[in-house]
Each structure stands twice: as structure tokens, then as C-alpha cells.
Amino acid sequence: MSACNPVVRVEPLTPQFAAAAHQWAQRLDLPEIQDAAEFALQIGADGLQLQLLEAQAPGPVRVDFVEGAAAHRRQFGGGSGQMIAKAVGVQPGIRPRVLDATAGLGRDAFVLATLGCEVSLIERQPLIAALLEDGLGRATGDAEVGAIAARMTLLKGNAIELMTQWQGEAPQVIYLDPMFPHRDKSALVKKEMRLFRPFVGDDMDAPALLAAALELASHRVVVKRPRKAPAIEGAKPGYSLEGKSSRYDIYPKKKLQG
């Protein structure tokens, strides 16, 4: 993985969140006062958010499973007809246990949990994991979304190490969406990529990630790629599902049963 280490400070958006900001700063080993910071991890009434500190910077990024894009997709996203659902093997009577080993902001994991899958999420970048933890915490307390959030379990750390040392029942499906040099023009992707690329870089260890996933998954591994991107180096996918901008490469091991 190629990434630099941007300077991040933690700050409360209003004085009543000073104690919470102090707790996050201690947990993440980040300064609370830092004039030269490039980013601010901010805490306020809407939870935790990451803000780029520069002129004409886009707005903050936060994880919100209750409102906004997640709510819209939950209500109007197409249910089990979505390509991601087909890719992981959601069918009548089949809701596989999924490990999303490259969780990011948790959007795909939330879609799968909405469809009824139990999903474990791995995120190795501590700031993104903090945003995820905060978003899941708020979702758990929501009357409508709480039951979905309860199907999501966050694990923090290096996915390759966690998969190699996995304890207990293996996930039936492992889902990977490694960082790739994105050329997606949508404003949302641009905003998030601009924020996260300095922290996460590109996943140069994607072949090792795929190998570890193939070793652990009991039924299949699914890799999301930009539509025209090459498959990850290593084992060849059994088949692919292609959409307008993305493609799902599927590595089947065993048939999913109801």
C-alpha cells in the first residue's frame, strides 16, 4: 500500500464536544492543537467527520447509515436484484455470511446487511475505522436501521493478517474492493478519493489480499473492479458480472445452499 502520513488534528465543533474530541485524540494518538494540520477529525452533533483543511476544500466526509445516500439506496436501491447481491450469491432462502475485507466507508457492507446478510467488516486505516465505528454506533440506536446495523461487525487491522489468523467459522463469501487508480468523475467519489487517497494510497498488496481471501472463504470470493480494469494478479476469476462502471469478478469454490 502506498500512502503518506498527513497531519491530522482532532477538534470539537462546539465546546460541549470537547471531552469527546479529547477521547478520540487519545485513542487515535492525534494532536488536539496543530496549526499545520492538513486535515481535521471533527466531532459534533452529527458524529465524527473528516475535513480537508484547504481553500475550496470539499465538505466533510462522515459515515451515515441512517440518512442521505444510504437511506435512499436502502429504500430504492433494487433489493436483491442489485448486481452486488447477485455477485455475493443472495438468492431466495440464501443469505450468505460475508466478510468485507476492504470496508472503507461501509456502503457495500450496509447494502448486504440490509438484504439480510451477516457482515463482518475489516478496515485497516485507523481514521476510516473511527468514522465507521461512529456511524455504526449511531445507526445501532436508530429505530429503523438498528436491526441492520446489528448484522454488521467491525474488525480493525490488516485484512491479510486477520484472514490468515481467522478463528472460528470461516465466512462463506469474502468481498474485496481494493483501492484502484479511480477515474470516476462523480463528485462524491472525487471528494472521498481526495480525502482518503493521502491516507490509504492504492492497494499494492491486492494479489496477497486475494490469495488470503481464497484460502479462507468457504464458498466464494468476490472482487469489485472498475469495469475496464484488469483482474487482480493471481488466480483467474470463474466468471464476471459487468455493470456500467464496475465489474464483479467471482471466484467460486462451492455452491451456496439454502
Side-chain angles (χ1 to χ4, degrees):
M1 180 176 70
S2 58
C4 52
N5 290 307
V7 180
V8 184
R9 69 173 183 235
V10 182
E11 60 187 28
L13 290 173
T14 57
Q16 78 230 55
F17 292 99
H22 180 65
Q23 283 177 334
W24 277 112
Q26 286 191 311
R27 275 184 62 185
L28 296 166
D29 195 21
L30 293 171
E32 291 176 74
I33 300 165
Q34 173 58 266
D35 291 337
E38 299 158 75
F39 292 84
L41 186 67
Q42 302 168 329
I43 177 99
D46 292 328
L48 210 56
Q49 59 186 39
L50 186 64
Q51 175 67 60
L52 177 61
L53 301 172
E54 64 174 45
Q56 275 101 42
V61 167
R62 49 197 281 274
V63 172
D64 188 353
F65 295 122
V66 179
E67 291 169 7
H72 188 270
R73 191 162 176 189
R74 186 176 82 246
Q75 291 157 348
F76 310 109
S80 55
Q82 296 174 78
M83 205 158 54
I84 186 173
K86 293 176 182 169
V88 301
V90 169
Q91 297 163 55
I94 299 178
R95 293 295 184 271
R97 288 186 323 282
V98 180
L99 169 62
D100 181 347
T102 52
L105 293 176
R107 286 204 189 91
D108 287 341
F110 182 72
V111 169
L112 295 173
T114 300
L115 296 172
C117 297
E118 297 283 334
V119 187
S120 299
L121 302 84
I122 299 178
E123 180 48 52
R124 64 179 166 186
Q125 211 297 323
L127 279 176
I128 300 175
L131 294 176
L132 257 180
E133 181 187 323
D134 175 69
L136 279 169
R138 282 181 285 108
T140 302
D142 182 80
E144 208 173 327
V145 179
I148 298 170
R151 289 194 281 272
M152 299 168 72
T153 305
L154 176 61
L155 309 170
K156 299 172 192 175
N158 181 293
I160 295 170
E161 288 171 16
L162 289 171
M163 287 192 284
T164 308
Q165 298 156 11
W166 194 266
Q167 301 291 313
E169 198 173 7
Q172 292 172 294
V173 178
I174 297 180
Y175 178 80
L176 305 173
D177 181 8
M179 285 287 270
F180 188 82
H182 281 265
R183 291 179 180 82
D184 196 313
K185 299 295 190 293
S186 86
L188 184 66
V189 168
K190 277 202 292 196
K191 176 169 99 167
E192 286 165 6
M193 285 302 155
R194 201 168 151 193
L195 271 170
F196 291 150
R197 238 175 229 297
F199 296 100
V200 299
D202 294 327
D203 280 314
M204 304 317 244
D205 55 1
L209 195 64
L210 174 61
L214 285 166
E215 190 66 32
L216 175 62
S218 62
H219 288 68
R220 73 172 65 173
V221 174
V222 176
V223 181
K224 185 179 181 182
R225 302 293 277 161
R227 188 169 66 88
K228 294 184 178 172
I232 291 179
E233 209 177 297
K236 298 286 175 274
Y239 62 101
S240 299
L241 298 175
E242 208 170 280
K244 282 185 207 152
S245 60
S246 309
R247 185 185 79 237
Y248 294 91
D249 289 343
I250 292 132
Y251 300 77
K253 290 179 75 175
K254 202 160 81 177
K255 188 177 165 67
L256 287 158
Q257 305 284 354

